[in-house]
Amino acid sequence: MKFGIWGNTDKEKFWSLLDPILSWSEKNSLDPYITTRIYDKLPPNFSFSPKVIKSADEFNKLDFLIALGGDGTILSAARAVGARKTPIAGIHLGELGFLAEITVDEMFKRLNQIIEKSFSVNSKMVLKATLSKRNSEKIFFALNDFVVDRGQSQRIIDLELYAGKSFISSYKSDGLIISTPTGSTAYSLSAGGPILAPEVSAITVTPLSPHTLSLRPIVLSDNQILKIISPSEGNIAFAVDGQVSDYFSNDTEVKIEKASYDIRMISFSDSDYFKTLNLKMGWGRRGKD
C-alpha cells in the first residue's frame, strides 16, 4: 500500500510523530510519500528516505492520506486532494480538531485498522463558488464554508441572495456564511446557525449580525444554485474555509452550488458523531453535569 503524509510543519508535535509513522510504515512494508513542504523542512541526516509528492495528480496513486494537525490542516489537505477521491485520515494535533477522528493516543491502532481495511469512508459534501466579473471567472471549492463579509471595513454591507430565479432576501448585515453539513459545526454554528447531521445533504445560509430581527439562518436543498450580488459600492471580502481570501465588487456575481465531487474521510465503526459533539463542543450538557 502507498500512503501520503500531510501535516502542519509548524507544530513540534508533527515532527515528533514523523519518525514513528515512518518506522511503522517500514515495519508493515508500506510505501510512504511526503509533501514537498515536509521534505524541504526535514532535519539534516534524517534517517528515512520517503518519496515526495511532487504534483497534485500524484494523490491518485495513494491508497490513503494521513493529515496531521488541526481542522485547518485537514481543510488544506482536502483542497489539495480535490476530486481525486483519495481517502483522508485526520489525526488531531490541534486544540479542537472536530474534523479529525483519530487522536495521537490511538493513532497506531487506527492506522493498523486502515491497512487491515477495517474502516469505512464517509463522503463529505463540497461547495463550488464561481465569481464572475465581465468576461473573467474565478472558481473556488470549500469543504466547510464560504464567507462573504465586510472585510476590513466597519460599515454594514448590502447583499441580495437568490436561489435559482427566486429572490430569497436582501441583507443589511456584516455578511453571510454559506456552509456544508461539515461546516455547520464551524463558523456558522458560532453565528447561530443550525447543526446538520453529516448524512443530510443541504446548504445552510447564516447571516452575520443582520440589522433586523426577521432574518434568520435558512437551510436549502443541495440542488439549489445560489446567487449573491451586492448593490453597494466598494470591495467585499470572500473567504474559503477561512483560509483562502479574495475580494469582489458590485459588478461581480457570486454563484454557489454543490460541487461535482465529494471529499472522502476515513471513519471507523465505533465512531459516533453525536458523542463527538458532546465531548468537543459540550452538546447536550447542562451546567457542570
Side-chain angles (χ1 to χ4, degrees), residues 2-118:
K2 298 177 181 179
F3 74 98
I5 301 174
W6 183 285
N8 185 342
T9 56
D10 294 329
K11 289 185 177 290
E12 291 184 13
K13 191 68 175 176
F14 169 79
W15 293 106
S16 70
L17 293 174
L18 184 58
D19 263 36
I21 290 173
L22 292 175
S23 296
W24 167 83
S25 70
E26 189 175 76
K27 178 181 177 182
N28 288 280
S29 301
L30 304 179
D31 201 2
Y33 287 70
I34 60 174
T35 63
T36 53
R37 179 181 176 86
I38 297 171
Y39 178 79
D40 290 342
K41 293 187 176 183
L42 287 177
N45 303 317
F46 191 65
S47 55
F48 295 92
S49 300
K51 297 175 183 176
V52 179
I53 301 169
K54 296 181 179 179
S55 69
D57 284 339
E58 291 192 359
F59 287 114
N60 285 320
K61 63 187 178 184
L62 302 179
D63 293 290
F64 63 96
L65 177 69
I66 298 172
L68 296 107
D71 284 353
T73 302
I74 296 175
L75 291 171
S76 64
R79 275 201 306 276
V81 169
R84 296 173 184 85
K85 300 181 179 181
T86 308
I88 300 172
I91 299 175
H92 166 51
L93 305 183
E95 294 179 2
L96 182 60
F98 191 81
L99 292 176
E101 285 200 9
I102 304 172
T103 65
V104 172
D105 291 341
E106 63 177 7
M107 181 176 68
F108 288 111
K109 170 191 170 184
R110 296 305 196 186
L111 291 177
N112 286 331
Q113 285 182 263
I114 292 173
I115 63 175
E116 293 164 1
K117 302 190 184 301
S118 180

Side-chain angles (χ1 to χ4, degrees), residues 153 166 234 269:
S153 171
S166 299
S269 60

Side-chain angles (χ1 to χ4, degrees), residues 43-244:
N45 303 317
F46 191 65
S47 55
F48 295 92
S49 300
K51 297 175 183 176
V52 179
I53 301 169
K54 296 181 179 179
S55 69
D57 284 339
E58 291 192 359
F59 287 114
N60 285 320
K61 63 187 178 184
L62 302 179
D63 293 290
F64 63 96
L65 177 69
I66 298 172
L68 296 107
D71 284 353
T73 302
I74 296 175
L75 291 171
S76 64
R79 275 201 306 276
V81 169
R84 296 173 184 85
K85 300 181 179 181
T86 308
I88 300 172
I91 299 175
H92 166 51
L93 305 183
E95 294 179 2
L96 182 60
F98 191 81
L99 292 176
E101 285 200 9
I102 304 172
T103 65
V104 172
D105 291 341
E106 63 177 7
M107 181 176 68
F108 288 111
K109 170 191 170 184
R110 296 305 196 186
L111 291 177
N112 286 331
Q113 285 182 263
I114 292 173
I115 63 175
E116 293 164 1
K117 302 190 184 301
S118 180
F119 67 93
S120 60
V121 174
N122 293 334
S123 293
K124 303 289 188 181
M125 175 182 164
V126 175
L127 288 176
K128 174 185 176 182
T130 305
L131 275 61
S132 303
K133 179 179 179 179
R134 298 188 183 95
N135 295 320
S136 65
E137 285 188 349
K138 291 182 179 181
I139 295 176
F140 302 91
F141 295 93
L143 176 59
N144 261 2
D145 51 42
F146 294 118
V147 178
V148 177
D149 68 23
R150 60 187 186 175
Q152 296 180 348
S153 171
Q154 299 303 309
R155 62 186 173 86
I156 287 177
I157 58 176
D158 292 324
L159 298 171
E160 294 178 357
L161 176 67
Y162 297 80
K165 295 181 180 180
S166 299
F167 173 70
I168 295 180
S169 184
S170 58
Y171 295 82
K172 286 186 179 293
S173 64
D174 286 350
L176 294 175
I177 305 168
I178 300 90
S179 67
T180 65
T182 302
S184 71
T185 54
Y187 191 10
S188 175
L189 180 63
S190 68
I195 295 174
L196 300 186
E199 63 271 14
V200 175
S201 195
I203 302 171
T204 299
V205 180
T206 304
L208 290 168
S209 304
H211 197 243
T212 174
L213 294 174
S214 62
L215 287 175
R216 291 293 179 263
I218 183 170
V219 179
L220 301 166
S221 170
D222 69 343
N223 62 8
Q224 295 281 4
I225 298 177
L226 305 183
K227 182 176 72 174
I228 301 171
I229 59 174
S230 174
S232 302
E233 295 289 335
N235 286 333
I236 293 174
F238 183 79
V240 183
D241 282 340
Q243 297 179 330
V244 178

Side-chain angles (χ1 to χ4, degrees), residues 258-273:
K258 182 181 178 180
S260 60
Y261 69 90
D262 294 329
I263 292 297
R264 301 184 176 189
M265 297 294 298
I266 288 177
S267 186
F268 304 93
S269 60
D270 57 347
S271 297
D272 187 319
Y273 176 76

